[in-house]
Amino acid sequence: MYRLLNIELHKLKHSRSSKILIITYFVLLTSIALVAAIKFDIGPIQFHLAEMGIFNFPYVWHFNSYISALFKLFLAIVIVSMMSNEYSNKTLKQNLIDGLSKKEFILSKFYTVVLLSLASTIFLFIVSLILGLIFSSYTELSIIFSDLEYLIAFFIKLVGFFSFCLFLGILVKRSAFALGFLFVWQFVEGIIFGVLRWNTNPDIASTIMQFFPLNAMSNLIKEPFTRLSAVQSVANQIGEKFNFDYAIHWYEIAIVVGWTALFIFLSYLLLKKRDL
Amino acid sequence: MDSILTISNLTKKFGYLTAVNDLSFTINKGNVYGILGPNGSGKSTTLGIVLNVVNKTSGDFKWFDGNTTTHDALKKVGAIIERPNFYPYMTAEQNLKLVCKIKGVNESKIEEKLEIVGLLERKDSKFSTYSLGMKQRLAIASALLNDPEILILDEPTNGLDPQGIHQIREIIKKIASEGTTILLASHLLDEVEKVCSHVVVLRKGVNLYSGRVDEMISSHGFFELKCNDMEALVKVLENLPYFGNIKVTEQLVTAFLNEPLKSETLNTLLFEKGIVLTHLVQRKESLEEQFLTLTNNQ
């Protein structure tokens, strides 16, 4: 496993564009901290976002993993191009001739995906922990380390999404088209949802939609904004009451893990069936 | 003799097109093999199959004693297919380091192999800045990294200028002289004739001949003759037992031998029959003529 990871990291390490994108991604992850600096001070209206409780433990885990997941597109570009460039440079062929098996080739890519996701998760954990320790109102250990399942969901979500990118890279063989396909797919899921909602009812529609890959991934971490006490108190004042289910359910994780396995298996199958 | 590669009844179909048709041959250690065939005869497809990048339709092949998986066997093989494929953004040395990691060999060989192909000074230049000849030489260096038991070269001089072709051939000869088995696919006959001891001739995926290069030229050669009375000459030749086919053009009689005959014997014989030759040349068919006969007649 170390050998396969080492091979793939060697390819990434010497590619300038991949390096820039990966660094940008981690810088952006850090930039969540900048939210803390959002502060309005207009006469009587004083507004300091960090003081509104967004960095309170354990809410900070939910909020930060939701926001951080938005930046995954940067790594997606790296992953799609690390796959499709192997086709356009014909280095895939050379790798196989040099003695890498097709299985090892896919595994080396998959390990890299897992490593990048793991690195993001650890990074997110550290950034959130620091932000929380600075701004949170509660700093008891038991509270700090509750709701950590959001980080697990974040990790699963990234692995699933990147595996999808990997699969698209192999399927389409060109990075620009593969990324285009990703957007089109997002769009297609949106349309299917719309059609289902129109023909049945919202409940049935979302029950079916939870099985679609991108929807399953976004279901993992629900939007955190309505959970914020400040938002809820405003809602209460205008007579609304939010009653959403923010928890992460085992079946949601199972669906995404299922898709991940399927994407990797399909990538292997495609590679095996194709003549180079 | 140790066999390195055994191909038996290998077939590859691309839709309706049969690229390789029931092909069988064996490659033994220590020889230099050529696969000869016109463009599109299935050379590259055959190599692609044994190198694990093209899926076979039927038949079988085995590397070494047949107990190693293909991808493990390939770690003991050095191969270059058609075009040199490397990561354009990496330098020569970085590319070779990657190959070392894939093959699981020590990186200490890199400088030595770059020296062999004459690229040591350019090892820190990016691959994208290399000329085609340099790329091809880097590919050879990369194929040599694991001190392979067999070196497979597919059209290694394709698209190179005369100097480039010469450099590559010198490198191949040098490697062959050190005892490495070489399999060279080419449509260039003189290349195969100069370098190889054994040859497999393909046409439309069918094996037309496989064996030693000198045995392929199996005929006893032919005489080119001229004299002042051509008709008399032909008559005499037809009555001699040595000749099969006799071709007559306006200026030249070409007589193909059925059995060995020395030129002085023929000359004496003809002189005794009253024929004085003005032109006598004994020749063997070149590989090219033999190849064209083989590929056209069948």
Side-chain angles (χ1 to χ4, degrees):
Chain A
M1 183 174 128
Y2 175 72
R3 169 176 160 261
L4 295 180
L5 201 54
N6 198 5
I7 289 171
E8 192 52 46
L9 289 183
H10 186 99
K11 294 177 192 168
L12 282 182
K13 191 169 70 185
H14 295 292
S15 157
R16 191 190 296 164
S17 48
S18 303
K19 258 193 312 202
I20 292 175
L21 280 168
I22 291 173
I23 291 169
T24 313
Y25 170 74
F26 282 105
V27 168
L28 278 173
L29 280 193
T30 326
S31 72
I32 305 174
L34 291 179
V35 176
I38 296 176
K39 207 178 201 175
F40 301 106
D41 205 352
I42 321 161
I45 310 159
Q46 285 202 345
F47 180 77
H48 187 189
L49 201 53
E51 304 281 304
M52 303 293 280
I54 60 166
F55 294 136
N56 276 346
F57 288 118
Y59 179 74
V60 64
W61 302 126
H62 186 180
F63 181 79
N64 279 4
S65 49
Y66 181 81
I67 299 292
S68 305
L70 300 177
F71 299 129
K72 64 184 185 293
L73 201 62
F74 282 84
L75 280 192
I77 297 172
V78 173
I79 283 153
V80 165
S81 60
M82 88 183 181
M83 195 60 242
S84 49
N85 281 347
E86 301 271 8
Y87 272 103
S88 47
N89 295 332
K90 294 208 174 174
T91 41
L92 166 57
K93 198 169 169 178
Q94 194 62 45
N95 281 181
L96 297 181
I97 291 172
D98 286 338
L100 208 64
S101 71
K102 289 179 174 177
K103 195 171 154 192
E104 284 178 327
F105 184 82
I106 296 286
L107 277 180
S108 83
K109 299 287 180 197
F110 181 64
Y111 289 154
T112 310
V113 160
V114 172
L115 182 78
L116 284 172
S117 309
L118 196 65
S120 316
T121 310
I122 292 170
F123 198 80
L124 175 70
F125 172 76
I126 294 169
V127 170
S128 308
L129 189 67
I130 294 171
L131 282 175
L133 287 177
I134 297 173
F135 294 106
S136 176
S137 322
Y138 328 98
T139 48
E140 292 83 13
L141 269 186
S142 58
I143 295 180
I144 290 178
F145 292 109
S146 57
D147 276 8
L148 277 184
E149 66 265 24
Y150 283 105
L151 288 181
I152 297 171
F154 179 72
F155 174 71
I156 300 285
K157 181 174 172 162
L158 286 193
V159 173
F161 185 70
F162 295 153
S163 301
F164 190 29
C165 295
L166 213 59
F167 170 68
L168 289 182
I170 289 188
L171 183 72
V172 187
K173 298 190 215 171
R174 288 198 174 62
S175 35
F177 287 113
L179 286 170
F181 193 101
L182 188 66
F183 287 113
V184 170
W185 184 255
Q186 173 84 64
F187 204 64
V188 166
E189 280 194 21
I191 290 175
I192 295 175
F193 182 64
V195 170
L196 282 176
R197 219 186 137 111
W198 183 260
N199 288 323
T200 58
N201 63 55
D203 277 345
I204 295 175
S206 28
T207 313
I208 296 174
M209 286 315 289
Q210 68 176 334
F211 291 107
F212 283 75
L214 287 179
N215 226 290
M217 288 168 206
S218 76
N219 267 349
L220 271 183
I221 302 171
K222 281 129 203 134
E223 54 81 29
F225 305 111
T226 48
R227 193 186 177 192
L228 199 61
S229 55
V231 174
Q232 279 185 345
S233 59
V234 171
N236 280 338
Q237 277 169 14
I238 57 172
E240 282 275 356
K241 186 146 174 61
F242 297 127
N243 197 8
F244 291 134
D245 178 13
Y246 300 102
I248 298 154
H249 300 286
W250 66 268
Y251 57 84
E252 290 169 342
I253 288 192
I255 291 170
V256 176
V257 170
W259 275 112
T260 308
L262 191 69
F263 286 138
I264 297 301
F265 178 70
L266 286 178
S267 306
Y268 174 61
L269 217 59
L270 261 180
L271 194 63
K272 206 173 162 165
K273 280 274 148 69
R274 254 186 208 157
D275 292 326
L276 295 165
Chain B
M1 217 187 296
D2 297 339
S3 74
I4 286 189
L5 175 64
T6 313
I7 292 180
S8 31
N9 308 101
L10 200 63
T11 300
K12 172 68 189 178
K13 288 184 178 152
F14 293 108
Y16 291 109
L17 179 85
T18 307
V20 178
N21 194 353
D22 202 26
L23 182 66
S24 307
F25 63 88
T26 307
I27 295 207
N28 290 319
K29 201 173 164 68
N31 297 320
V32 179
Y33 288 83
I35 298 186
L36 204 54
N39 291 329
S41 58
K43 301 185 298 282
S44 299
T45 311
T46 309
L47 293 182
I49 293 171
V50 298
L51 292 173
N52 200 17
V53 290
V54 176
N55 298 312
K56 62 184 186 209
T57 307
S58 66
D60 211 356
F61 65 89
K62 64 174 201 235
W63 283 100
F64 305 105
D65 53 4
N67 292 329
T68 34
T69 60
T70 303
H71 86 273
D72 274 330
L74 289 182
K75 288 179 186 144
K76 294 193 265 178
V77 173
I80 306 166
I81 287 264
E82 286 163 356
R83 228 167 43 100
N85 301 319
F86 289 99
Y87 296 87
Y89 53 81
M90 286 190 212
T91 68
E93 199 184 9
Q94 287 164 353
N95 267 305
L96 292 190
K97 276 187 179 163
L98 181 67
V99 176
C100 283
K101 281 178 183 164
I102 291 176
K103 290 196 183 260
V105 294
N106 202 288
E107 293 179 2
S108 58
K109 288 265 166 69
I110 291 177
E111 299 228 330
E112 175 198 328
K113 303 302 178 192
L114 281 174
E115 178 83 62
I116 292 179
V117 299
L119 283 175
L120 197 53
E121 315 85 78
R122 291 292 306 273
K123 70 174 171 131
D124 292 322
S125 308
K126 284 209 168 115
F127 177 70
S128 52
T129 67
Y130 275 26
S131 71
L132 183 60
M134 293 164 80
K135 287 177 178 173
Q136 197 63 269
R137 280 186 281 148
L138 181 65
I140 293 184
S142 149
L144 288 175
L145 273 176
N146 52 344
D147 292 320
E149 301 208 20
I150 179 173
L151 183 63
I152 295 178
L153 303 162
D154 188 4
E155 314 252 349
T157 55
N158 219 1
L160 298 185
D161 58 11
Q163 284 97 326
I165 293 177
H166 182 69
Q167 280 175 326
I168 299 282
R169 285 201 189 144
E170 286 306 307
I171 294 170
I172 294 175
K173 279 184 194 163
K174 197 168 148 197
I175 298 162
S177 69
E178 286 161 8
T180 308
T181 312
I182 294 181
L183 178 58
L184 175 73
S186 181
H187 62 263
L188 301 172
L189 293 139
D190 61 324
E191 191 161 276
V192 171
E193 201 169 13
K194 276 176 188 157
V195 189
C196 302
S197 58
H198 291 65
V199 68
V200 176
V201 180
L202 295 183
R203 183 170 154 269
K204 292 188 180 162
V206 180
N207 185 352
L208 297 183
Y209 173 84
S210 73
R212 297 190 61 86
V213 174
D214 42 14
E215 284 167 9
M216 174 178 166
I217 308 163
S218 57
S219 72
H220 300 289
F222 57 92
F223 283 104
E224 285 175 359
L225 305 165
K226 270 191 218 172
C227 79
N228 290 329
D229 188 357
M230 298 288 259
E231 277 178 36
L233 172 65
V234 175
K235 221 172 245 173
V236 173
L237 289 176
E238 279 170 350
N239 288 328
L240 287 173
Y242 310 110
F243 299 102
N245 192 11
I246 297 173
K247 267 198 294 189
V248 186
T249 54
E250 261 174 64
Q251 282 100 32
L252 199 70
V253 177
T254 313
F256 293 87
L257 282 167
N258 283 335
E259 52 189 278
L261 181 69
K262 285 188 174 165
S263 54
E264 57 257 43
T265 322
L266 179 69
N267 202 1
T268 319
L269 264 170
L270 289 174
F271 193 74
E272 281 167 359
K273 307 243 171 193
I275 289 167
V276 183
L277 293 171
T278 55
H279 175 95
L280 168 67
V281 178
Q282 183 173 21
R283 280 182 53 197
K284 282 207 157 194
E285 281 115 326
S286 70
L287 185 57
E288 182 168 337
E289 283 158 320
Q290 194 68 40
F291 173 69
L292 289 175
T293 332
L294 263 176
T295 49
N296 286 334
N297 290 350
Q298 298 191 24

